[in-house]
Amino acid sequence: MHLLLILMMASMCGGAVAAHDREAHAKEALQTNAQARVDDFVAEVRATGLSTFAPIAVGVRTTPDLTHLDRERRTILVPLWHELAPTTRVLFAQRAGGEQAGHRMFELLVQQFLVIQQAAFLLTSGGTDHYHDEAEANALAVAYWMRQPEGHAFLSDMLPLVVQTFGHTPDPVPDETTPSAYFNREHATFRREPMPYGWFRLRSILNALDTRAGLAVLVGHPQLSGPATQAAPSIATVDGVAVTPDMQP
């Protein structure tokens, strides 16, 4: 009996150690990959002539607003899936169309695309027009991915998940105002209530993936636009209905 108990305890301890090792490996891999991607983005920006564009550090830490940019410290925080609150993981699954799709959405959008988007925010004004900065950062992130050898495939994989999620995310904008006015007015509250920000983020990303929006915003950074090696992906559908976010502010 004692031997059986000892074996059971050893098995439980071994399982806990294995789980801890997997989580530690996942954290190390995410930090390494995200930092390498951001370093590449910084190198591309410097190659355009902005030689003073300083390095950006990446840390792995899960925060309520998912990705987080500390402008003063030039640091981006990226979250881990298993550290998210269970309700947040469920929300990803519900909006993306299932647990597997939600996890995949998190990997593509949060751990890869938004990492570059956060880095791109350091090229925006950082002023009071948060709506414009959001659009510009997303357009720059799309432009970056479009120049990568695997970028077209990456964006094509991400697009239908973004469309699916956007189609199941409530529009928070009151009837009496516009998206840009509401976004700028309520921007400070998004950290306390991040879900409305999710709708704006997805809408802005879909606009950036649309060729017209991407080109319009990139006019302000002609040295960063460059020739795209592939055409921008077309807007997909949700439940058979085309989803093309309007480009009105």
Side-chain angles (χ1 to χ4, degrees), residues 165-240:
T165 303
F166 180 75
H168 291 87
T169 302
D171 181 346
V173 183
D175 292 338
E176 67 274 11
T177 188
T178 63
S180 58
Y182 182 72
F183 187 82
N184 287 332
R185 187 182 75 205
E186 301 296 329
H187 188 265
T189 71
F190 288 151
R191 289 200 177 185
R192 297 192 299 272
E193 301 177 24
M195 290 316 302
Y197 188 20
W199 183 86
F200 280 101
R201 259 186 168 174
L202 295 171
R203 179 180 186 268
S204 181
I205 290 168
L206 288 173
N207 277 341
L209 285 167
D210 180 86
T211 304
R212 296 165 300 166
L215 292 177
V217 176
L218 285 169
V219 167
H221 289 279
Q223 74 273 27
L224 295 178
S225 59
T229 56
Q230 300 281 353
S234 60
I235 298 301
T237 62
V238 173
D239 297 332

Side-chain angles (χ1 to χ4, degrees), residues 12-24:
M12 292 173 62
C13 291
V17 170
H20 179 270
D21 288 345
R22 287 194 299 270
E23 292 172 0

